[in-house]
Amino acid sequence: MHTEKVKLALLGMQRHSWEQGVAMQAFLEQGDMEAVVALAKEAVWRQTPDGRAAMIGVSDAITDPCAVGEGLLAAANHTKAQDLLHGNQLLLQWALQKAPRNASGVLYHLNTSKQFWVDSMYMLPPYLAASGYYTQALDNLYGYWQALFDEEASLMHHMWDDETKTYVRAAHWGVGNGWALAALARMFNLLPTKMLPEKQRIAAMGQTLVDGVLKYMRQDGLFHDVVDDPSTFVETNLSQMLAYTLYRGVHSGWLPSSYLAPAQKLRSAARSKVDEYGLVQGVCGSPSFDKPGVAPEGQAFYLLMESAAAQANK
C-alpha cells in the first residue's frame, strides 16, 4: 500500500542509535540487504571507542546502541567487510564485558544512573541471542521483566531504579509495552529449538502481555499514550508494534489464529494514519516523545508490521 513511501520517509529522517537500529531491523525483515548494509556502514562510522555504535546526540545510552546489533551482524556476515566485522566485535565486547550492569549482569539503560527502562528489552536481548549468547540474552530479558512487569495490570512499567528499588516512572507507557512485545516476539524465534522450556516461558510472557495490552485497544484500533490513562493523547505506534507481535506470534505458533482478527484491526488503524508523503502520523513523536507526531521508530514499525503480516497471511 504505502510501503515504498514509508521506506523513503524513514531514510530521510535523522536518527539516534536506537532509531538507526530499528530502521536496520525493519529493512532486514523486509529483505532489503542493500539498505541494511548502508545503515550498518554508517553505524560503525559513528562508533565510539568503547564499542557503542551509531552514537549521535545521546551520549549516556548503554543499551540503545545495541539496537543496531542484529542488522550489523547480518550485514557483516553478508559482506564479510572488515569494518563491519570489526564493528560488530566491538559492539559485542561492549554488551558482554564493558557496559555498566548490576550484580546479576543486567545492563542499565543509562551510564548516569542505575535504571532499567522497558525500552532495553528490545535493544539488547535480541542482539545477544542473534549472536549466540543465549544465557546472557535471557538473563537480561528476565531481569527487565522481573523489575518492570506489573502482575496486577498485566502491563509493563516504564522505568525502575535498581539502586533505590523504586519506579522512576511507573506509567504503563504504550510504546514501552510495544518495545517489550516486539522483543518477546523476536526472542522466541532467535532461540534454538533445543531451548524449548525457555521458548515456552517467553511464549507465556508474550501472551500475558498481549492480552494485558489488548484490553485497552480503542474502538478505532488505536491506544492512548499511557494505555490505561484515557486523558493521554491517542497514539499510533503501539498498534503497529502489537500487530507485528500478533502476526509473528501466530506465524511462529505461540499464539492461536484467533489473534489475526485484532491484528488486522490494528493494522488497518495504522495504515489509515500514513499521509501522502509516507509519514506515519500520530506516533509518539521524536525527539521528545511527549506528543503525537512522527518518528523513525514509527516508520520502522510500519515496515515491520507489513513484513510480519505478509508472513502470517501466506
Side-chain angles (χ1 to χ4, degrees):
M1 187 180 177
H2 303 295
T3 301
E4 292 307 314
K5 282 190 174 182
V6 172
K7 285 182 179 179
L8 181 60
L10 172 55
L11 288 171
M13 288 177 161
Q14 298 181 57
R15 295 181 294 277
H16 290 292
S17 60
W18 76 93
E19 295 167 329
Q20 186 82 347
V22 71
M24 291 168 70
Q25 190 65 30
F27 285 110
L28 182 63
E29 295 191 23
Q30 287 261 322
D32 188 345
M33 281 306 299
E34 282 193 8
V36 176
V37 170
L39 291 164
K41 288 276 189 178
E42 175 67 2
V44 298
W45 180 253
R46 303 283 180 179
Q47 196 161 30
T48 52
D50 58 21
R52 290 177 292 168
M55 289 295 286
I56 296 178
V58 178
S59 61
D60 57 355
I62 291 175
T63 58
D64 284 345
C66 298
V68 309
E70 193 174 344
L72 175 55
L73 176 64
N77 289 336
H78 179 72
T79 64
K80 307 301 182 187
Q82 285 303 308
D83 59 337
L84 300 182
L85 291 164
H86 183 60
N88 182 59
Q89 182 181 32
L90 291 176
L91 183 59
L92 259 182
Q93 287 174 350
W94 166 256
L96 293 170
Q97 300 165 17
K98 296 180 180 180
R101 65 200 68 213
N102 73 0
S104 300
V106 183
L107 271 63
Y108 300 124
H109 192 77
L110 305 171
N111 62 22
T112 51
S113 61
K114 295 181 177 180
Q115 294 178 10
F116 299 148
W117 294 16
V118 69
D119 317 43
S120 290
M121 283 184 69
Y122 181 92
M123 309 306 166
L124 178 68
Y127 172 46
L128 295 176
S131 302
Y133 293 93
Y134 303 118
T135 299
Q136 294 88 334
L138 290 169
D139 286 348
N140 279 275
L141 186 78
Y142 297 155
Y144 298 136
W145 180 270
Q146 182 178 3
L148 294 162
F149 181 65
D150 182 340
E151 290 190 17
E152 186 176 343
S154 290
L155 296 168
M156 303 299 294
H157 294 296
H158 188 190
M159 302 173 184
W160 168 262
D161 190 302
D162 200 46
E163 192 168 33
T164 63
K165 307 300 181 187
T166 57
Y167 288 108
V168 180
R169 188 188 184 209
H172 303 126
W173 180 41
V175 170
N177 278 268
W179 287 127
L181 287 163
L184 293 166
R186 285 173 63 195
M187 282 291 293
F188 181 89
N189 288 97
L190 287 165
L191 293 181
T193 53
K194 66 181 180 181
M195 297 185 74
L196 183 59
E198 291 81 3
K199 289 170 79 77
Q200 289 173 333
R201 180 175 175 182
I202 288 171
M205 292 161 63
Q207 186 160 7
T208 297
L209 187 55
V210 159
D211 291 341
V213 174
L214 270 176
K215 285 190 300 186
Y216 294 97
M217 182 174 66
R218 294 160 41 98
Q219 286 298 313
D220 59 5
L222 300 173
F223 294 88
H224 289 278
D225 180 56
V226 175
V227 294
D228 53 354
D229 183 355
S231 71
T232 60
F233 64 86
V234 179
E235 197 275 330
T236 306
N237 201 24
L238 175 55
S239 295
Q240 302 183 136
M241 300 168 104
L242 179 54
Y244 168 77
T245 303
L246 297 181
Y247 286 126
R248 288 278 296 250
V250 171
H251 183 258
S252 300
W254 58 269
L255 285 177
S257 60
S258 58
Y259 283 88
L260 287 176
Q264 299 287 45
K265 183 172 183 176
L266 294 160
R267 184 186 182 200
S268 295
R271 282 179 150 198
S272 74
K273 304 295 282 187
V274 181
D275 71 14
E276 62 184 305
Y277 304 105
L279 292 163
V280 183
Q281 294 288 344
V283 305
C284 203
S286 180
S288 57
F289 303 100
D290 58 354
K291 57 184 178 295
V294 296
E297 59 200 47
Q299 301 297 117
F301 266 100
Y302 181 93
L303 300 176
L304 287 163
M305 173 185 71
E306 290 299 288
S307 296
Q311 233 183 5
N313 290 326
K314 279 183 180 176

